[in-house]
Amino acid sequence: MTSRASLPPEPSVALREVLAFDDGGSLRLLLAPAGRDIGVRGVAVGDEGPARPLDGCLVLVTGPPASAPEAAGPVREAARRGATGVVLRAVEGVAAAPQVVAAAEEAGVALLVRAEWADWTDTAALLRSALACVRAGRDDDRGTGWTAAGGPESLSALAAAVAEYTGGSITIEDTRLRVLAHSATGPDADALRRSTILGGRVPEWRVAELRRSGMLRTLWTSRDVIHRAADAEGPERLIIAVRSGPEVLGSIWVAGDGRPLRPDAPAALRRAAEVAAPLLVRRRLRESGAARRSELALRGLLYGDGDARTHAWSLGLSPDAACAVVVAEPLAAGRSDAGPPVAASAPDGRALDVAALQAATYRPSVRVLRDGGRLLVLLPVDAGAERGAEPGAAERGVAERGVVALARELAGPGRDTGLLAGAGPVAAGAAGVRGSCEEALLIVRVLRERVGAGSPLRAADAAAVGPSLDVARVLDAARPVWEAGRGPVHDLVRTDLAAGGELVRSLAAFLDASGDVARAAARLVVHPNTLRYRLRRARERYGVDLDDPDTRLLVTLAVRLSG
């Protein structure tokens, strides 16, 4: 048995040929000291082990980005182990560190960067598919007359070629059974083929039938051609899954179009699946790259990271269009400030999934971002600003009612289940989206506090939560001042909270009751004299006198900030 170590090395592929495969723009070449014709034999991850040789490999350095000077170390190490080039992660708007560029130039290795919107899994798949595609184009010894690089350059061309070599009609489909390409349809094509091509995907009833019969499971698990004999429901069919290693990318279907298939059709179909793999990888990467770029632009617009006008154009929106943000979170979410939310539980996750579908179908221009256990919806509105004019009061009122309506729809009817939804104000353009998002997040936080106090309100805008919104802003602004301060009130709060917080709760109840001892005691379920004793203890032990207005204000802030 031949060992892996004794196998001959894979033939090298010129770096320029690899880069030509990247039509999605996920890779950028910064430096090629040995030229673009330098040979590439494989792809490796930089942290796969120090003993592994990297002869002729492009090495994916998953650690520090190209902008970090410490990335020079992995570049030198990869070069020492024989790498052809290294791929580092780019940081948008930040150049590669001079130390990194100098290290690559001194070591004589190519330096590439991966776009911020891409990820390492897709980058590795892209590079490996490029190598396989180019090598397949050099090797035409299987008698089919067409290859991945030397013949069909698109899925449509491949479908036409497969039809010629199998004698049947072809559809190439992705894993969701959407038609990506098909050959010409003859006059004798069966009704199912016509329906599939016209609808752009396999009809739902047919998918259900394939699932019930076990055909889909057989297709996704088989590595060879599946044959279905002609019957009363349709002609003879051959099917094969298209794979990249263990991953299924799609399938190719051959149907007898009023005539028998050729005897060598299965062999041609096996070859077609090999040729289709890099083409499907390329198509998927192009689609996923576009989706990631859109997500990055939407995230930047909502959270105020980068140029808002540029993000709006990237999303296909006018930077001057009026818009608002709606934020939805599960009732049980862990936090709702501008930081990353905790992941939602399974039922809450389903509620967010449903809300995302509701939002996406609310209007074609809506953009939806699922950010962990939080849903953020960018809603362009008809408020005059879309025509380049500042919206009037009547137009703005209509737009704001529409935003609140969406928030209520997302929150759902349940009192003890579903979501909390905050409707941000209508902004005149992209520059105001961040402010709308921040206010929507704050409204959700206020709603969560009210739910804890027994409120049934689940969706609201600023008007519905009233002064609580400004109080939340004041508390956020006061928090760093409070945390940096010291004195009697700080000593009381810190010491009492460490002991259980009984005194802090008593002060909070007293202040909420506007100094009415009897009402505060009833709320605490203690005798009024007990509450009077606790207030006296605060004054005698800590020097906190609630008769002083400034002290009373500071205690009010302290108990609110301490929760």
Side-chain angles (χ1 to χ4, degrees), residues 235-288:
E236 176 186 14
R237 279 184 166 83
L238 297 177
I239 316 111
I240 191 170
V242 179
R243 298 175 178 274
S244 177
E247 183 178 5
V248 177
L249 304 172
S251 57
I252 305 176
W253 296 66
V254 182
D257 208 356
R259 61 186 185 275
L261 299 176
R262 293 184 177 180
D264 59 350
L269 193 55
R270 294 185 191 97
R271 179 60 176 149
E274 295 179 9
V275 175
L279 298 177
L280 285 177
V281 167
R282 176 184 282 181
R283 187 181 194 280
R284 190 182 66 177
L285 292 177
R286 191 184 300 118
E287 287 183 344
S288 63

Coordinates of all heavy atoms in Angstrom, one line a residue, residues 235-288:
P235 N -39.9 10.1 -17.5 CA -38.9 9.3 -18.3 C -37.8 8.8 -17.4 O -37.7 9.1 -16.2 CB -38.4 10.4 -19.3 CG -38.6 11.7 -18.5 CD -39.8 11.5 -17.8
E236 N -36.9 8.1 -17.9 CA -35.7 7.6 -17.3 C -34.9 8.8 -16.8 O -34.7 9.8 -17.4 CB -34.8 6.8 -18.2 CG -33.5 6.3 -17.6 CD -32.7 5.6 -18.7 OE1 -33.0 5.7 -19.9 OE2 -31.7 4.9 -18.3
R237 N -34.3 8.7 -15.5 CA -33.5 9.8 -15.0 C -32.2 9.2 -14.3 O -32.2 8.1 -13.8 CB -34.3 10.5 -13.9 CG -35.3 11.6 -14.5 CD -36.0 12.3 -13.3 NE -36.6 13.5 -13.9 CZ -37.8 13.5 -14.4 NH1 -38.5 12.4 -14.5 NH2 -38.4 14.6 -14.9
L238 N -31.2 10.0 -14.5 CA -29.9 9.8 -13.8 C -29.7 11.0 -12.9 O -29.9 12.2 -13.3 CB -28.7 9.6 -14.7 CG -28.8 8.4 -15.7 CD1 -27.6 8.5 -16.6 CD2 -28.8 7.1 -14.9
I239 N -29.2 10.8 -11.7 CA -28.9 11.9 -10.7 C -27.6 11.6 -10.0 O -27.3 10.5 -9.7 CB -30.0 12.0 -9.7 CG1 -31.4 11.9 -10.3 CG2 -29.9 13.4 -8.9 CD1 -32.1 10.6 -9.9
I240 N -26.9 12.7 -9.8 CA -25.6 12.6 -9.0 C -25.5 13.8 -8.2 O -25.8 14.9 -8.6 CB -24.4 12.4 -9.9 CG1 -23.2 12.0 -9.1 CG2 -24.1 13.6 -10.8 CD1 -22.0 11.5 -9.9
A241 N -25.0 13.6 -6.9 CA -24.7 14.8 -6.1 C -23.3 15.4 -6.5 O -22.4 14.6 -6.8 CB -24.7 14.3 -4.6
V242 N -23.2 16.7 -6.4 CA -22.0 17.4 -6.6 C -21.3 17.7 -5.3 O -22.0 18.3 -4.4 CB -22.2 18.7 -7.4 CG1 -20.9 19.4 -7.6 CG2 -22.9 18.4 -8.7
R243 N -20.1 17.2 -5.1 CA -19.4 17.4 -3.8 C -18.1 18.1 -3.9 O -17.4 18.1 -4.9 CB -19.2 16.0 -3.2 CG -20.4 15.2 -2.9 CD -20.1 13.8 -2.5 NE -21.3 13.0 -2.1 CZ -21.9 13.0 -1.0 NH1 -21.4 13.8 0.0 NH2 -23.0 12.3 -0.8
S244 N -17.8 18.7 -2.8 CA -16.4 19.3 -2.6 C -15.9 18.6 -1.3 O -16.2 19.0 -0.2 CB -16.4 20.8 -2.5 OG -15.1 21.3 -2.2
G245 N -15.1 17.5 -1.5 CA -14.8 16.7 -0.3 C -16.0 16.1 0.3 O -16.9 15.6 -0.5
P246 N -16.2 16.2 1.6 CA -17.4 15.6 2.2 C -18.7 16.5 2.0 O -19.8 16.0 2.2 CB -17.1 15.5 3.6 CG -16.1 16.6 3.9 CD -15.3 16.7 2.6
E247 N -18.5 17.7 1.6 CA -19.6 18.7 1.5 C -20.4 18.5 0.2 O -19.8 18.5 -0.9 CB -19.2 20.1 1.7 CG -20.3 21.1 1.8 CD -19.8 22.5 2.0 OE1 -18.6 22.7 2.0 OE2 -20.6 23.4 2.1
V248 N -21.7 18.5 0.3 CA -22.6 18.4 -0.8 C -22.9 19.9 -1.3 O -23.4 20.7 -0.5 CB -23.9 17.7 -0.6 CG1 -24.9 17.7 -1.8 CG2 -23.6 16.2 -0.1
L249 N -22.7 20.2 -2.5 CA -22.9 21.5 -3.1 C -24.2 21.6 -3.9 O -24.7 22.7 -4.0 CB -21.7 21.9 -4.0 CG -20.3 21.9 -3.3 CD1 -19.3 22.1 -4.4 CD2 -20.2 22.9 -2.3
G250 N -24.7 20.5 -4.4 CA -25.8 20.5 -5.3 C -26.0 19.2 -6.0 O -25.5 18.2 -5.5
S251 N -26.7 19.2 -7.1 CA -26.9 17.9 -7.9 C -27.1 18.2 -9.3 O -27.4 19.3 -9.7 CB -28.1 17.2 -7.3 OG -29.2 18.0 -7.3
I252 N -26.9 17.2 -10.2 CA -27.1 17.2 -11.6 C -28.2 16.2 -11.9 O -28.0 15.0 -11.5 CB -25.9 17.0 -12.4 CG1 -24.8 18.0 -12.0 CG2 -26.1 17.2 -13.9 CD1 -23.4 17.8 -12.7
W253 N -29.2 16.6 -12.7 CA -30.3 15.6 -13.0 C -30.3 15.5 -14.5 O -30.3 16.5 -15.3 CB -31.6 16.2 -12.5 CG -31.8 16.2 -11.0 CD1 -31.1 17.1 -10.2 CD2 -32.6 15.5 -10.2 NE1 -31.4 16.9 -8.9 CE2 -32.4 15.9 -8.9 CE3 -33.6 14.5 -10.5 CZ2 -33.1 15.4 -7.8 CZ3 -34.3 14.0 -9.4 CH2 -34.0 14.4 -8.1
V254 N -30.4 14.3 -15.0 CA -30.5 14.0 -16.4 C -31.8 13.3 -16.7 O -32.1 12.3 -16.0 CB -29.3 13.1 -16.9 CG1 -29.4 12.9 -18.4 CG2 -28.0 13.7 -16.6
A255 N -32.6 13.8 -17.6 CA -33.9 13.2 -17.9 C -33.9 12.8 -19.4 O -33.5 13.6 -20.2 CB -35.0 14.1 -17.6
G256 N -34.4 11.6 -19.7 CA -34.5 11.2 -21.0 C -35.6 12.0 -21.7 O -36.8 12.1 -21.2
D257 N -35.3 12.7 -22.7 CA -36.2 13.7 -23.3 C -36.8 13.1 -24.6 O -36.5 13.5 -25.7 CB -35.4 15.0 -23.7 CG -36.3 16.2 -23.7 OD1 -37.5 16.1 -23.4 OD2 -35.7 17.3 -23.8
G258 N -37.6 12.0 -24.4 CA -38.3 11.4 -25.6 C -37.4 10.4 -26.3 O -37.8 9.9 -27.3
R259 N -36.2 10.1 -25.7 CA -35.3 9.2 -26.4 C -34.4 8.5 -25.3 O -34.2 9.1 -24.2 CB -34.4 9.8 -27.4 CG -33.5 10.9 -26.9 CD -32.8 11.6 -28.0 NE -31.8 12.6 -27.5 CZ -32.1 13.8 -27.1 NH1 -33.4 14.3 -27.2 NH2 -31.2 14.7 -26.7
P260 N -33.9 7.3 -25.5 CA -33.1 6.7 -24.4 C -31.8 7.4 -24.2 O -31.2 8.0 -25.1 CB -32.8 5.3 -25.0 CG -33.1 5.4 -26.5 CD -34.1 6.5 -26.7
L261 N -31.3 7.4 -23.0 CA -30.0 8.0 -22.7 C -28.8 7.1 -23.3 O -29.0 5.9 -23.5 CB -29.8 8.1 -21.2 CG -30.8 8.9 -20.4 CD1 -30.6 8.9 -18.9 CD2 -30.8 10.4 -20.9
R262 N -27.7 7.7 -23.5 CA -26.6 7.0 -24.1 C -26.0 6.0 -23.1 O -26.1 6.2 -21.8 CB -25.5 8.0 -24.4 CG -25.8 8.9 -25.6 CD -24.7 9.8 -26.0 NE -25.0 10.6 -27.1 CZ -24.1 11.5 -27.7 NH1 -22.9 11.7 -27.2 NH2 -24.5 12.2 -28.7
P263 N -25.4 4.9 -23.6 CA -24.9 3.9 -22.7 C -23.8 4.4 -21.7 O -23.7 4.0 -20.6 CB -24.3 2.9 -23.6 CG -25.1 3.1 -24.9 CD -25.3 4.5 -25.0
D264 N -23.0 5.4 -22.2 CA -21.9 5.9 -21.4 C -22.4 7.2 -20.6 O -21.5 7.9 -20.1 CB -20.7 6.3 -22.2 CG -21.0 7.3 -23.3 OD1 -22.2 7.6 -23.5 OD2 -20.0 7.8 -23.9
A265 N -23.7 7.4 -20.5 CA -24.1 8.6 -19.8 C -23.7 8.6 -18.3 O -23.3 9.7 -17.8 CB -25.7 8.7 -19.9
P266 N -23.7 7.5 -17.6 CA -23.3 7.6 -16.2 C -21.8 8.0 -16.0 O -21.5 8.8 -15.1 CB -23.4 6.1 -15.7 CG -24.5 5.6 -16.5 CD -24.3 6.2 -17.9
A267 N -20.9 7.6 -16.9 CA -19.5 8.0 -16.8 C -19.4 9.5 -17.1 O -18.7 10.2 -16.4 CB -18.7 7.2 -17.8
A268 N -20.2 10.0 -18.1 CA -20.2 11.4 -18.4 C -20.7 12.2 -17.2 O -20.2 13.3 -16.9 CB -21.0 11.7 -19.7
L269 N -21.7 11.7 -16.5 CA -22.3 12.4 -15.4 C -21.3 12.5 -14.2 O -21.3 13.5 -13.5 CB -23.6 11.7 -15.0 CG -24.5 12.5 -14.1 CD1 -24.8 13.9 -14.6 CD2 -25.8 11.7 -13.8
R270 N -20.6 11.4 -14.0 CA -19.6 11.4 -12.9 C -18.5 12.5 -13.2 O -18.1 13.2 -12.3 CB -18.9 10.1 -12.8 CG -19.8 8.9 -12.4 CD -19.0 7.6 -12.1 NE -19.9 6.5 -11.9 CZ -20.3 5.7 -12.9 NH1 -19.8 5.8 -14.1 NH2 -21.1 4.7 -12.6
R271 N -18.1 12.6 -14.5 CA -17.1 13.6 -14.8 C -17.7 15.0 -14.7 O -17.1 15.9 -14.2 CB -16.7 13.4 -16.3 CG -15.6 14.4 -16.8 CD -14.4 14.4 -15.9 NE -13.4 15.3 -16.5 CZ -12.5 15.9 -15.7 NH1 -12.5 15.8 -14.4 NH2 -11.6 16.7 -16.3
A272 N -19.0 15.1 -15.1 CA -19.7 16.4 -15.0 C -19.7 16.9 -13.5 O -19.6 18.1 -13.2 CB -21.1 16.3 -15.5
A273 N -20.0 16.0 -12.6 CA -20.0 16.3 -11.2 C -18.7 16.9 -10.7 O -18.6 17.8 -9.9 CB -20.4 15.1 -10.3
E274 N -17.6 16.3 -11.2 CA -16.2 16.8 -10.8 C -16.0 18.2 -11.4 O -15.5 19.1 -10.7 CB -15.2 15.9 -11.3 CG -15.2 14.5 -10.7 CD -14.1 13.6 -11.3 OE1 -13.3 14.1 -12.0 OE2 -14.1 12.4 -11.0
V275 N -16.5 18.4 -12.6 CA -16.3 19.7 -13.3 C -17.2 20.8 -12.6 O -16.8 21.9 -12.5 CB -16.6 19.6 -14.8 CG1 -16.6 21.0 -15.4 CG2 -15.6 18.6 -15.4
A276 N -18.4 20.3 -12.2 CA -19.4 21.3 -11.6 C -18.9 21.8 -10.2 O -19.3 22.9 -9.8 CB -20.7 20.6 -11.5
A277 N -18.2 21.0 -9.5 CA -17.8 21.3 -8.1 C -17.2 22.7 -7.9 O -17.7 23.5 -7.2 CB -17.0 20.2 -7.5
P278 N -16.1 23.0 -8.6 CA -15.5 24.3 -8.5 C -16.4 25.4 -9.0 O -16.4 26.5 -8.4 CB -14.2 24.2 -9.3 CG -14.4 23.1 -10.2 CD -15.3 22.1 -9.5
L279 N -17.2 25.1 -10.0 CA -18.2 26.2 -10.5 C -19.2 26.5 -9.4 O -19.6 27.6 -9.2 CB -18.8 25.7 -11.8 CG -17.9 25.5 -13.0 CD1 -18.7 24.9 -14.2 CD2 -17.2 26.8 -13.3
L280 N -19.7 25.4 -8.7 CA -20.7 25.7 -7.7 C -20.1 26.4 -6.5 O -20.7 27.2 -5.8 CB -21.3 24.3 -7.2 CG -22.4 23.7 -8.2 CD1 -22.9 22.4 -7.7 CD2 -23.5 24.7 -8.4
V281 N -18.8 26.0 -6.2 CA -18.1 26.7 -5.1 C -18.0 28.2 -5.4 O -18.3 29.0 -4.6 CB -16.8 26.0 -4.8 CG1 -15.9 27.0 -3.9 CG2 -16.9 24.7 -4.2
R282 N -17.6 28.4 -6.6 CA -17.4 29.8 -7.0 C -18.7 30.6 -6.9 O -18.8 31.7 -6.4 CB -16.9 29.9 -8.5 CG -16.8 31.3 -9.0 CD -16.4 31.3 -10.5 NE -14.9 31.1 -10.6 CZ -14.3 31.1 -11.7 NH1 -15.0 31.3 -12.9 NH2 -13.0 30.9 -11.8
R283 N -19.8 30.0 -7.4 CA -21.1 30.6 -7.3 C -21.6 30.9 -5.9 O -22.1 31.9 -5.5 CB -22.2 29.8 -8.1 CG -23.5 30.5 -8.2 CD -24.5 29.5 -8.9 NE -25.7 30.3 -9.3 CZ -26.7 30.6 -8.5 NH1 -26.6 30.3 -7.2 NH2 -27.7 31.3 -9.0
R284 N -21.4 29.9 -5.0 CA -21.8 30.0 -3.7 C -21.0 31.1 -3.0 O -21.5 31.9 -2.2 CB -21.6 28.7 -2.9 CG -22.2 28.7 -1.5 CD -22.0 27.4 -0.8 NE -20.6 27.1 -0.5 CZ -20.2 26.1 0.1 NH1 -21.0 25.2 0.6 NH2 -18.9 25.9 0.4
L285 N -19.7 31.1 -3.2 CA -18.8 32.1 -2.6 C -19.2 33.5 -3.1 O -19.2 34.5 -2.3 CB -17.3 31.9 -2.9 CG -16.7 30.6 -2.3 CD1 -15.3 30.4 -2.8 CD2 -16.8 30.7 -0.8
R286 N -19.6 33.6 -4.3 CA -20.0 34.9 -4.9 C -21.3 35.4 -4.1 O -21.4 36.5 -3.7 CB -20.3 34.9 -6.4 CG -20.5 36.2 -7.0 CD -20.8 36.1 -8.5 NE -19.7 35.4 -9.2 CZ -19.9 34.2 -9.8 NH1 -21.0 33.6 -9.8 NH2 -18.9 33.7 -10.5
E287 N -22.2 34.4 -3.9 CA -23.5 34.8 -3.3 C -23.2 35.1 -1.8 O -23.7 36.1 -1.2 CB -24.5 33.6 -3.4 CG -25.1 33.5 -4.8 CD -26.1 32.3 -4.8 OE1 -26.1 31.5 -3.9 OE2 -26.9 32.3 -5.8
S288 N -22.4 34.2 -1.1 CA -22.2 34.5 0.3 C -21.3 35.7 0.5 O -21.5 36.4 1.5 CB -21.5 33.2 0.9 OG -20.2 33.0 0.3

